[in-house]
Amino acid sequence: MNKASSLAIAVALALGTMPALAQKTASQGIDEYRAMLQDGNPAELFEAKGEDLWKKARGPKNVSLEKCDLGKGPGVVKGAFVALPKYFADTQRMQDLESRLVTCMETLQGFNAAEISKTAFGRGEMANVTALATWIAAESKGQRFNLSQEHAQEKTFYEVGKRLFFQRGGPHDFSCASCHGEEGKRIRLQDLPILTKNPGDGIGFAAWPAYRVSNGQMWSMQLRLNDCYRQQRFPYPGFGSDATIALSTYLGVNAKGAASIAPAIKR
Amino acid sequence: MQNRRETLKQTAVVAGLLATAGFPQFAHAAFNKAAFDAKSVQDSAKAAGATSMAESKDVTITGPDIAENGAVVPLGASTALAGVKHLLIMVEKNPSALVAMFHVTDAVEANFSTRAKMGQSSDVYAVAIMNDGKALWAKKEVKVTLGGCGG
Amino acid sequence: MADPMRIRAQASGDKATVRVLMSHEMESGQRKDASGKTVPAWFIQEVTAKLNGKDVFSAEWGPAVSKNPFLQFNVKGAKAGDKIAVTWKDNKGDTRTDEATVS
Amino acid sequence: MNKKTQLVLATLAAALVAAGCASGPSVAELNALTDKIVKASFRDESHVKVERITATDETNRVCSEADVAGKPLDEKTAKRIEEANLKAIKWPSDGKFIGDWKQGEAIAQSGRGLTWTDSATGVNGGNCYNCHQMDKKEISYGTIGPSLYNYGKIRGVSNPNDPASKAIVEYTWGKIWNAKAYNACSNMPRAGHMGILNETQVRHIVGLLLDPKSPVNQ
C-alpha cells in the first residue's frame, strides 16, 4: 500500500507531463506489461522440445529417458518436480531435477555425466537438460511443493542450505538473505521474494524454470542460482554441486504448500 | 486458455513440406528492403507505398505504458476501416523505425499483434496504408525502464 | 533444423484467433560480440499462413521483432477442425512450416 | 567429486548415529560440513577467486552465524565489530569530503563490477539505486535500504563545508566507506573498505548526497 502510494507520487512528479501515466502508478504499468506477456510464453517452445527429448531414443545407447526415475518411480513425470530435491538410494546422494536428469542420461542413454555438467548453460546437452527440466516442471503445474524431510541426508542438506542462504561473503558482503530475507523489498523495480518461508503460489522457488525476456533464454533453477551467486559477487558454483542442491533443498522445503507455475515468464 | 495444453498437443509438425511452395497470389510477399532500411516513420511509410500521411482515430496502436524490458515490448495495430492494404508497426526511435508490415486481405482482420525490441523510450506507431496510398496513423508513448540491477 | 513453432488456433464466432510462438534468434545486426565485431543480422523476414491449404495471411518482419517471436492474427471464417499452417522464412533462407487444428 | 563428498557425508552421518547422536549432527558439525561443501562446490572463475567466500572476515562470519540462529548479535560482539570497522575507515587524504554530484549520480546508477562476467580492470559502480531511492526522477529504485531522497536537506545541510555540518559529512563518508562501523550486520556493502569504490568515487557519492545542488536535495 505504502509502496504504491509513494510510487504514485514519484511518477506524478517525474512524469507529470504525461497524463496517461500520471493516473497510473509505475508498478501498475509494469503489472500491465507483465500481464500482456503471459499469453504467449516462449517457454512453451522449450517445453515442446523437452517432451520430445524425453521420448526420443538418444545417446550412445540410443534409448529414451522414459524409464528415468525422478523420484516417483521409473517413468513417472507428473508430480516429480514438486518433490525435488530428494535423496536417491541408487546414487546415494541428494539430487535436484537437473542433476537427476544428468544421472539418467548417463545410466540409461550412455552420455558422460561429467562432460554434460561441465558444459555451459544453453549449449549442447546442457541446453537439452534445461529443455527437459522445463517440460518436467510444466507437467507438475499447479501442484504444491512438498519435499521429503524423512532421510537423514534430506535433513542435513536443509541445514547446510540454510547456512549457505545466510553465508555473507565476497567484496559486497552479500548473502542470499541480503535480498531475500525480508518481505516486500525490491531491487530497482524488481520484486524480491522472501525465501525463508513460503512466499506464495508461483513466487520464488515455485516459478523456475522460467523464460527470461531480457535475454530470450530459458533459465533452469541451476542457472537461476548460478546467476544469483554471480550477482552476489561469489565464485562459480559447479553445476549440480552439493552447495546448489543444499540451497535448493532449503528453498524447496521452505516453499512447502506453494503451487508451482513453472515455467514462468520473467523480465 | 483452459484447453491450452490440449490445443498444443494437437499441433502437428509438418516441417519443410510446404516450405518451398511459393505464394504467387501474394504480391507483397517479397521483402520490402527499402521500407525496413528507412530510418524514420515517414520514410518507411513512403517506401511501403504511402503518398500522404494523416493522424486518424480510426487506427489503433496498443502497447504497455511502461515496459520493464526493451527486449520484448508487446505491440498491436488494428483498424476497422475498409480498403486497408498494409498495416505497419513502427518504433520511432529505433535505428530503423519499421518493425513489422502486415498485409491485409479479405481473409484476415486488420488486427495484428507481435512483440518488438525497443532501444529506448519512444513513440510507437500503427500506420494503415490504404489502397489509394493514404497513410493513416496513430501513436502512443512507451516508456522503457531498467527493471533489474543495472549490472 | 529450426525447432518447431507452437500454434494455437481458437475459433470464436465467425473467426479464429491464431497465436504463434516461433523459435528464432532474431539477431538485430546492431549487437557487437565480445571481440567488438558486429554480429550479422539474422531474422525472420516473411511469415505466411494458410487455412486448409489456401493463403490467408502474409507479413514482412524486420530485425526489431523480439527473439522467439510471438504473432497473433484473426482468420475470418475459420472454424473448429480447420487446419492452419504457418510458415516463416529468414534472411539466410532457412524456413519452417508447422500446422495446427483450430479448436 | 560430488559423489565422493556426499559419500563422506553419509559415512559421517552414520558415524554420528552410531555414536548415539540420534538427533542428527550438532551445530558445529553442520558448520564444518557447510565449509566442506562450499570448498567442494565453488571454483575460481575469471578474476573471481574462491577465497572471496572461504577467507571472509570476522564481521561476515559472526553476522552469518547470527542470521542462521535467527537472533541479532549480542551487544558486546556488535560493539567490537563496529569499533574494528570504524577504525578501518580511511578518511579523505586531502580533507575534501564533497565531490561532484554529477559523477556521483553516474556511480550511484551503475551496478557494474566484480562479478565473474565483469572485466577485472573495469570501473566499479556503487549499486546505490539497486537498494535506495535517491533522485526522485529515477523511478527504478530498490527498497532494501531507506530512501535517501532529500538526504542532506532533511539533515539541514545547506553548506556542507560549514563546520556545523561536519558531523553529518563525516558520518556520511564513514557510512559509505564502511557501513558496518555504524551497524555491525548492516545489509549495506563496505564500499571503500572492500575496495568496491575508490576514494574519489566515495567523494562523488558524498557530493550526491550532501551537495544542496544535487538532485537528491531538490
Side-chain angles (χ1 to χ4, degrees):
Chain A
M1 223 71 60
N2 260 337
K3 190 167 93 182
S5 57
S6 66
L7 262 176
I9 296 162
V11 171
L13 282 174
L15 309 167
T17 51
M18 290 166 232
L21 275 176
Q23 289 153 20
K24 215 180 276 175
T25 67
S27 59
Q28 276 172 340
I30 285 186
D31 286 347
E32 279 179 19
Y33 166 78
R34 288 176 189 163
M36 283 181 187
L37 292 181
Q38 290 308 317
D39 195 22
N41 179 353
E44 288 174 17
L45 297 166
F46 297 84
E47 263 183 70
K49 189 177 162 195
E51 181 173 9
D52 190 47
L53 283 164
W54 179 264
K55 293 172 179 167
K56 203 152 77 186
R58 292 189 338 113
K61 295 185 187 167
N62 199 36
V63 292
S64 79
L65 286 168
E66 286 165 306
K67 288 202 172 75
C68 176
D69 183 353
L70 297 168
K72 302 262 174 206
V76 181
V77 173
K78 284 201 190 306
F81 175 65
V82 291
L84 291 170
K86 74 181 283 292
Y87 179 78
F88 285 86
D90 58 351
T91 52
Q92 293 188 284
R93 55 173 303 215
M94 290 289 293
Q95 293 190 290
D96 64 355
L97 174 55
E98 290 159 76
S99 56
R100 187 62 188 173
L101 277 168
V102 172
T103 296
C104 285
M105 288 166 78
E106 179 166 78
T107 54
L108 298 174
Q109 299 182 310
F111 284 105
N112 182 330
E115 278 304 313
I116 297 175
S117 300
K118 268 193 280 183
T119 308
F121 290 105
R123 300 278 166 81
E125 285 301 325
M126 185 61 95
N128 290 338
V129 172
T130 302
L132 281 159
T134 304
W135 175 66
I136 290 159
E139 287 289 288
S140 294
K141 203 178 257 187
Q143 295 199 34
R144 297 187 182 280
F145 274 92
N146 188 18
L147 269 63
S148 163
Q149 282 282 278
E150 293 295 310
H151 194 276
Q153 284 274 68
E154 292 170 342
K155 287 185 208 150
T156 301
F157 263 54
Y158 175 84
E159 283 298 326
V160 171
K162 184 177 183 181
R163 282 157 176 78
L164 290 164
F165 185 82
F166 289 109
Q167 180 188 21
R168 298 174 185 230
H172 290 67
D173 303 335
F174 287 149
S175 71
C176 306
S178 306
C179 288
H180 298 288
E182 273 184 78
E183 217 145 347
K185 299 289 184 188
R186 304 191 324 230
I187 281 191
R188 290 278 184 168
L189 284 174
Q190 199 64 29
D191 294 318
L192 297 164
I194 179 165
L195 298 177
T196 54
K197 58 170 204 163
N198 175 0
D201 293 347
I203 301 171
F205 198 73
W208 301 86
Y211 182 80
R212 290 286 302 256
V213 299
S214 47
N215 49 23
Q217 292 169 358
M218 192 67 220
W219 277 28
S220 64
M221 194 64 201
Q222 279 286 333
L223 177 50
R224 172 63 282 179
L225 294 180
N226 181 283
D227 201 63
C228 280
Y229 273 130
R230 183 185 66 83
Q231 295 189 66
Q232 226 172 301
R233 275 79 180 173
F234 272 37
Y236 194 98
F239 173 87
S241 60
D242 287 348
T244 59
I245 291 166
L247 189 53
S248 283
T249 303
Y250 176 72
L251 302 178
V253 169
N254 289 347
K256 188 183 170 82
S260 171
I261 59 159
I265 183 164
K266 297 272 184 185
R267 174 183 65 80
Chain B
M1 272 311 282
Q2 57 271 38
N3 279 327
R4 197 176 59 87
R5 283 208 62 84
E6 294 286 297
T7 322
L8 285 174
K9 287 221 168 92
Q10 294 165 14
T11 308
V13 175
V14 285
L17 287 181
L18 306 163
T20 47
F23 309 94
Q25 64 271 64
F26 274 57
H28 305 289
F31 187 66
N32 187 338
K33 192 170 180 305
F36 282 94
D37 284 349
K39 305 283 175 237
S40 71
V41 170
Q42 276 213 311
D43 290 351
S44 175
K46 215 179 280 172
T51 51
S52 69
M53 293 194 68
E55 188 165 8
S56 168
K57 285 199 179 70
D58 296 320
V59 176
T60 307
I61 176 85
T62 53
D65 294 338
I66 302 184
E68 198 177 0
N69 198 292
V72 180
V73 183
L75 297 177
S78 63
T79 178
L81 293 172
V84 184
K85 201 167 171 187
H86 315 297
L87 205 45
L88 280 53
I89 291 177
M90 302 204 201
V91 175
E92 187 178 29
K93 288 191 185 162
N94 273 5
S96 297
L98 184 55
V99 174
M101 173 162 22
F102 299 96
H103 304 301
V104 183
T105 66
D106 292 341
V108 290
E109 289 184 354
N111 180 0
F112 309 99
S113 304
T114 186
R115 292 168 183 173
K117 298 171 203 161
M118 290 179 64
Q120 55 182 310
S121 298
S122 169
D123 282 339
V124 296
Y125 285 76
V127 183
I129 298 182
M130 313 303 286
N131 286 328
D132 62 6
K134 253 187 219 136
L136 302 173
W137 55 265
K139 66 170 180 176
K140 78 163 280 172
E141 202 208 17
V142 176
K143 204 172 160 52
V144 176
T145 64
L146 178 66
C149 354
Chain C
M1 276 318 287
D3 285 334
M5 287 177 242
R6 301 298 265 171
I7 305 170
R8 283 183 277 156
Q10 202 139 27
S12 76
D14 58 351
K15 64 173 183 184
T17 299
V18 183
R19 294 185 186 84
V20 190
L21 283 163
M22 307 170 197
S23 188
H24 203 282
E25 281 299 318
M26 299 302 287
E27 189 61 60
S28 68
Q30 309 279 337
R31 225 167 43 89
K32 288 192 168 47
D33 66 11
S35 62
K37 284 219 315 251
T38 302
V39 183
W42 176 33
F43 59 98
I44 293 173
Q45 257 181 341
E46 288 176 35
V47 185
T48 53
K50 287 172 190 267
L51 174 67
N52 298 326
K54 197 174 140 273
D55 289 314
V56 288
F57 166 88
S58 79
E60 293 164 46
W61 285 357
V65 171
S66 303
K67 179 173 175 178
N68 294 326
F70 172 79
L71 164 69
Q72 182 176 319
F73 59 96
N74 300 299
V75 181
K76 295 178 188 168
K79 51 196 186 306
D82 285 352
K83 303 272 189 228
I84 292 273
V86 179
T87 300
W88 59 250
K89 190 173 168 190
D90 70 20
N91 64 326
K92 290 184 183 172
D94 198 5
T95 181
R96 166 135 203 137
T97 299
D98 292 282
E99 194 179 78
T101 305
V102 179
S103 64
Chain D
M1 188 172 69
N2 281 326
K3 198 162 172 173
K4 218 159 70 190
T5 326
Q6 285 210 1
L7 284 175
V8 171
L9 300 186
T11 325
L12 181 82
L16 291 171
V17 173
C21 310
S23 59
S26 70
V27 167
E29 283 160 343
L30 286 167
N31 290 349
L33 204 60
T34 304
D35 288 347
K36 204 175 204 164
I37 284 180
V38 164
K39 282 200 184 90
S41 298
F42 288 87
R43 62 170 168 81
D44 296 351
E45 178 76 10
S46 177
H47 54 97
V48 177
K49 305 283 180 242
V50 172
E51 286 71 45
R52 276 193 183 183
I53 54 170
T54 52
T56 190
D57 67 0
E58 193 200 6
T59 303
N60 278 327
R61 227 163 34 241
V62 296
C63 290
S64 299
E65 274 172 29
D67 289 344
V68 171
K71 34 183 194 216
L73 285 187
D74 66 87
E75 221 169 294
K76 229 180 84 192
T77 312
K79 201 142 219 139
R80 181 163 52 80
I81 296 291
E82 285 166 11
E83 272 165 15
N85 280 293
L86 187 64
K87 240 199 265 176
I89 294 175
K90 242 185 84 198
W91 301 99
S93 47
D94 56 0
K96 288 207 178 80
F97 286 85
I98 310 293
D100 172 10
W101 66 260
K102 283 188 192 113
Q103 292 186 61
E105 167 68 12
I107 297 162
Q109 285 282 0
S110 170
R112 290 194 182 280
L114 298 167
T115 73
W116 70 63
T117 50
D118 288 306
S119 116
T121 52
V123 177
N124 300 333
N127 284 289
C128 308
Y129 278 100
N130 283 345
C131 298
H132 297 281
Q133 181 180 33
M134 300 183 81
D135 180 349
K136 274 249 161 155
K137 283 197 289 298
E138 178 54 86
I139 61 167
S140 181
Y141 61 86
T143 59
I144 294 171
S147 171
L148 301 174
Y149 177 60
N150 277 179
Y151 175 87
K153 202 174 176 182
I154 288 165
R155 288 162 180 79
V157 179
S158 51
N159 174 9
N161 297 315
D162 186 326
S165 301
K166 190 168 179 268
I168 193 69
V169 168
E170 284 184 4
Y171 165 76
T172 305
W173 179 282
K175 181 77 183 177
I176 293 161
W177 194 275
N178 191 333
K180 270 77 171 177
Y182 308 91
N183 175 3
C185 296
S186 168
N187 274 331
M188 184 165 153
R190 296 172 281 182
H193 182 71
M194 299 297 282
I196 302 165
L197 300 180
N198 61 34
E199 192 183 314
T200 309
Q201 289 177 302
V202 171
R203 191 175 285 117
H204 294 324
I205 295 284
V206 175
L208 178 68
L209 288 167
L210 290 174
D211 191 325
K213 292 190 289 296
S214 157
V216 166
N217 295 315
Q218 302 314 307

PDB file of all heavy atoms in Angstrom, chain A residues 73-84:
ATOM      1  N   GLY A  73       9.257 -43.185  -9.131  1.00  0.00           N
ATOM      2  CA  GLY A  73       9.266 -44.463  -9.843  1.00  0.00           C
ATOM      3  C   GLY A  73       9.626 -44.254 -11.301  1.00  0.00           C
ATOM      4  O   GLY A  73       9.448 -43.152 -11.828  1.00  0.00           O
ATOM      5  N   PRO A  74      10.146 -45.315 -11.958  1.00  0.00           N
ATOM      6  CA  PRO A  74      10.594 -45.174 -13.355  1.00  0.00           C
ATOM      7  C   PRO A  74       9.477 -44.641 -14.257  1.00  0.00           C
ATOM      8  O   PRO A  74       8.366 -45.172 -14.259  1.00  0.00           O
ATOM      9  CB  PRO A  74      10.989 -46.603 -13.745  1.00  0.00           C
ATOM     10  CG  PRO A  74      11.279 -47.290 -12.451  1.00  0.00           C
ATOM     11  CD  PRO A  74      10.378 -46.664 -11.435  1.00  0.00           C
ATOM     12  N   GLY A  75       9.782 -43.587 -14.996  1.00  0.00           N
ATOM     13  CA  GLY A  75       8.835 -43.070 -15.983  1.00  0.00           C
ATOM     14  C   GLY A  75       7.769 -42.136 -15.441  1.00  0.00           C
ATOM     15  O   GLY A  75       7.027 -41.542 -16.214  1.00  0.00           O
ATOM     16  N   VAL A  76       7.682 -41.996 -14.114  1.00  0.00           N
ATOM     17  CA  VAL A  76       6.640 -41.117 -13.561  1.00  0.00           C
ATOM     18  C   VAL A  76       7.134 -39.663 -13.595  1.00  0.00           C
ATOM     19  O   VAL A  76       8.133 -39.326 -12.959  1.00  0.00           O
ATOM     20  CB  VAL A  76       6.253 -41.514 -12.123  1.00  0.00           C
ATOM     21  CG1 VAL A  76       5.157 -40.587 -11.595  1.00  0.00           C
ATOM     22  CG2 VAL A  76       5.812 -42.965 -12.079  1.00  0.00           C
ATOM     23  N   VAL A  77       6.436 -38.835 -14.354  1.00  0.00           N
ATOM     24  CA  VAL A  77       6.849 -37.448 -14.516  1.00  0.00           C
ATOM     25  C   VAL A  77       5.954 -36.513 -13.696  1.00  0.00           C
ATOM     26  O   VAL A  77       6.442 -35.626 -12.989  1.00  0.00           O
ATOM     27  CB  VAL A  77       6.831 -37.047 -16.011  1.00  0.00           C
ATOM     28  CG1 VAL A  77       7.091 -35.558 -16.177  1.00  0.00           C
ATOM     29  CG2 VAL A  77       7.870 -37.856 -16.784  1.00  0.00           C
ATOM     30  N   LYS A  78       4.663 -36.728 -13.771  1.00  0.00           N
ATOM     31  CA  LYS A  78       3.740 -35.843 -13.055  1.00  0.00           C
ATOM     32  C   LYS A  78       3.993 -35.883 -11.552  1.00  0.00           C
ATOM     33  O   LYS A  78       4.069 -36.952 -10.957  1.00  0.00           O
ATOM     34  CB  LYS A  78       2.289 -36.228 -13.355  1.00  0.00           C
ATOM     35  CG  LYS A  78       1.857 -35.768 -14.743  1.00  0.00           C
ATOM     36  CD  LYS A  78       0.339 -35.665 -14.866  1.00  0.00           C
ATOM     37  CE  LYS A  78      -0.100 -35.438 -16.297  1.00  0.00           C
ATOM     38  NZ  LYS A  78       0.511 -34.308 -16.983  1.00  0.00           N
ATOM     39  N   GLY A  79       4.145 -34.721 -10.958  1.00  0.00           N
ATOM     40  CA  GLY A  79       4.338 -34.644  -9.514  1.00  0.00           C
ATOM     41  C   GLY A  79       5.782 -34.779  -9.060  1.00  0.00           C
ATOM     42  O   GLY A  79       6.099 -34.510  -7.902  1.00  0.00           O
ATOM     43  N   ALA A  80       6.677 -35.179  -9.979  1.00  0.00           N
ATOM     44  CA  ALA A  80       8.079 -35.374  -9.579  1.00  0.00           C
ATOM     45  C   ALA A  80       8.732 -34.039  -9.218  1.00  0.00           C
ATOM     46  O   ALA A  80       9.447 -33.928  -8.215  1.00  0.00           O
ATOM     47  CB  ALA A  80       8.852 -36.057 -10.709  1.00  0.00           C
ATOM     48  N   PHE A  81       8.456 -33.017 -10.010  1.00  0.00           N
ATOM     49  CA  PHE A  81       9.137 -31.725  -9.851  1.00  0.00           C
ATOM     50  C   PHE A  81       8.936 -31.115  -8.466  1.00  0.00           C
ATOM     51  O   PHE A  81       9.877 -30.588  -7.867  1.00  0.00           O
ATOM     52  CB  PHE A  81       8.642 -30.761 -10.937  1.00  0.00           C
ATOM     53  CG  PHE A  81       9.179 -29.359 -10.811  1.00  0.00           C
ATOM     54  CD1 PHE A  81      10.533 -29.097 -10.952  1.00  0.00           C
ATOM     55  CD2 PHE A  81       8.319 -28.298 -10.553  1.00  0.00           C
ATOM     56  CE1 PHE A  81      11.028 -27.807 -10.849  1.00  0.00           C
ATOM     57  CE2 PHE A  81       8.804 -27.003 -10.452  1.00  0.00           C
ATOM     58  CZ  PHE A  81      10.158 -26.754 -10.590  1.00  0.00           C
ATOM     59  N   VAL A  82       7.696 -31.188  -7.942  1.00  0.00           N
ATOM     60  CA  VAL A  82       7.401 -30.504  -6.680  1.00  0.00           C
ATOM     61  C   VAL A  82       7.897 -31.282  -5.460  1.00  0.00           C
ATOM     62  O   VAL A  82       7.673 -30.858  -4.326  1.00  0.00           O
ATOM     63  CB  VAL A  82       5.890 -30.191  -6.542  1.00  0.00           C
ATOM     64  CG1 VAL A  82       5.475 -29.133  -7.550  1.00  0.00           C
ATOM     65  CG2 VAL A  82       5.047 -31.454  -6.715  1.00  0.00           C
ATOM     66  N   ALA A  83       8.580 -32.420  -5.673  1.00  0.00           N
ATOM     67  CA  ALA A  83       9.138 -33.192  -4.562  1.00  0.00           C
ATOM     68  C   ALA A  83      10.670 -33.193  -4.598  1.00  0.00           C
ATOM     69  O   ALA A  83      11.318 -33.920  -3.845  1.00  0.00           O
ATOM     70  CB  ALA A  83       8.608 -34.616  -4.593  1.00  0.00           C
ATOM     71  N   LEU A  84      11.257 -32.393  -5.463  1.00  0.00           N
ATOM     72  CA  LEU A  84      12.722 -32.353  -5.607  1.00  0.00           C
ATOM     73  C   LEU A  84      13.282 -31.033  -5.080  1.00  0.00           C
ATOM     74  O   LEU A  84      12.603 -30.028  -5.138  1.00  0.00           O
ATOM     75  CB  LEU A  84      13.100 -32.516  -7.091  1.00  0.00           C
ATOM     76  CG  LEU A  84      12.837 -33.904  -7.679  1.00  0.00           C
ATOM     77  CD1 LEU A  84      13.007 -33.901  -9.190  1.00  0.00           C
ATOM     78  CD2 LEU A  84      13.779 -34.929  -7.046  1.00  0.00           C
TER      79      LEU A  84
END
